[in-house]
């Protein structure tokens, strides 16, 4: 009887040890320490023309390389909004355009910049992302559809047709394309927090790095 009890005890301890080892092997590890980008690239991360969401003087800046036609950018938009809400005045987001989806992306960017001129950027951005499956399809979206969507969110579409072609908008597109190359952006969304890249990329890593920088700013 004692021998059977001893054997059972050994088996139980062995299983417990195996389970503990498996937990350590599979649990999520800490976010890797990432250094700030070199100074030569830091200037290319954030330009004076970048659209800022949140307080201008926030101590923590999330730079998002963003394509309005990108499904992952659409999925991350509520995550970014939640992070901003969580940290209040400590966090701002700078949008850098990355038109990787060709003409559809560029048209959407031009619409967003017209919305900025008219003071309706955020409602138009949210409408454009919400209706993304309609206008950013891989087929041939209906001509003018994105303008109609933006108009429903408050954009003056007639004025926007002229604003979309303004030299300032062309300059923003050109500068952002150049900076995408300079920084080496290969996919969207790509995030930097106070010049530190989010690596490896994921929601948990983004939240963790932002929280770390907010804590450092408050210390």
């Amino acid at each position: 009887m004692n021998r059977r009890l001893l054997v059972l005890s050994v088996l139980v301890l062995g299983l417990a040890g195996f389970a503990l080892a498996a937990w350590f092997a599979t649990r999520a590890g800490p976010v890797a320490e990432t250094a700030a980008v070199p100074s030569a690239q830091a200037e290319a991360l954030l330009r004076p023309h970048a659209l800022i969401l949140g307080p201008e003087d926030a101590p923590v800046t999330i730079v998002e390389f963003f394509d309005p036609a990108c499904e992952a950018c659409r999925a991350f938009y509520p995550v970014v909004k939640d992070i901003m809400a969580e940290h209040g005045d400590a966090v701002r987001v700078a949008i850098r355009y990355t038109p990787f989806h060709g003409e559809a992306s560029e048209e959407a960017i031009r619409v967003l910049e017209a919305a900025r001129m008219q003071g309706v950027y955020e409602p138009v951005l949210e409408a454009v992302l919400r209706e993304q499956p309609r206008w950013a399809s891989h087929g041939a979206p209906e001509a003018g559809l994105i303008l109609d969507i933006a108009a429903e969110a408050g954009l003056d579409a007639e004025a926007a047709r002229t604003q979309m072609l303004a030299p300032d908008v062309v300059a923003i597109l050109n500068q952002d394309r150049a900076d995408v190359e300079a920084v080496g952006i290969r996919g969207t969304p790509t995030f930097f927090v106070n010049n530190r890249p989010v690596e490896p990329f994921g929601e948990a890593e983004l939240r963790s790095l932002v929280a770390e920088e907010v804590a450092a700013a408050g210390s």
Side-chain angles (χ1 to χ4, degrees), residues 176-209:
D176 282 10
R177 283 195 182 96
D179 289 340
V180 163
E181 287 297 317
V183 179
I185 304 301
R186 294 293 177 263
T188 53
T190 294
F191 294 97
F192 294 80
V193 180
N194 282 358
N195 293 348
R196 294 171 63 190
V198 178
E199 294 177 348
F201 172 72
E203 178 182 342
E205 290 78 11
L206 175 60
R207 288 183 181 275
S208 179
L209 187 53

Side-chain angles (χ1 to χ4, degrees), residues 7-158:
V7 170
L8 285 172
S9 299
V10 171
L11 286 173
V12 168
L13 288 172
L15 287 171
F18 176 79
L20 186 61
W23 180 79
F24 273 107
T26 58
R27 70 190 178 100
V31 176
E33 284 294 322
T34 56
V37 298
S39 56
Q41 287 186 336
E43 183 181 357
L45 282 182
L46 186 59
R47 299 287 184 182
H49 69 258
L51 188 284
I52 301 295
L53 301 174
E56 287 282 346
D57 59 351
V60 177
T61 299
I62 302 172
V63 174
E64 178 180 359
F65 283 87
F66 167 84
D67 185 339
C70 162
E71 293 177 1
C73 293
R74 178 177 184 248
F76 260 86
Y77 180 72
V79 173
V80 172
K81 293 283 285 185
D82 186 59
I83 291 171
M84 293 176 67
E86 178 183 355
H87 296 289
D89 291 343
V91 173
R92 66 177 186 163
V93 176
I95 301 294
R96 304 302 310 279
Y97 296 124
T98 314
F100 283 166
H101 289 75
E103 291 182 7
S105 298
E106 183 169 325
E107 182 183 17
I109 290 166
R110 290 177 181 274
V111 167
L112 289 173
E113 284 303 301
R116 186 191 337 196
M117 295 178 195
Q118 295 182 24
V120 291
Y121 189 94
E122 287 194 62
V124 169
L125 172 63
E126 291 182 0
V128 163
L129 291 177
R130 184 178 62 250
E131 301 298 330
Q132 186 195 79
R134 293 172 58 201
W135 65 265
S137 65
H138 296 295
E142 177 186 343
L145 177 58
I146 192 169
L147 264 178
D148 292 341
I149 291 168
E152 292 173 3
L155 184 75
D156 180 339
E158 192 60 37

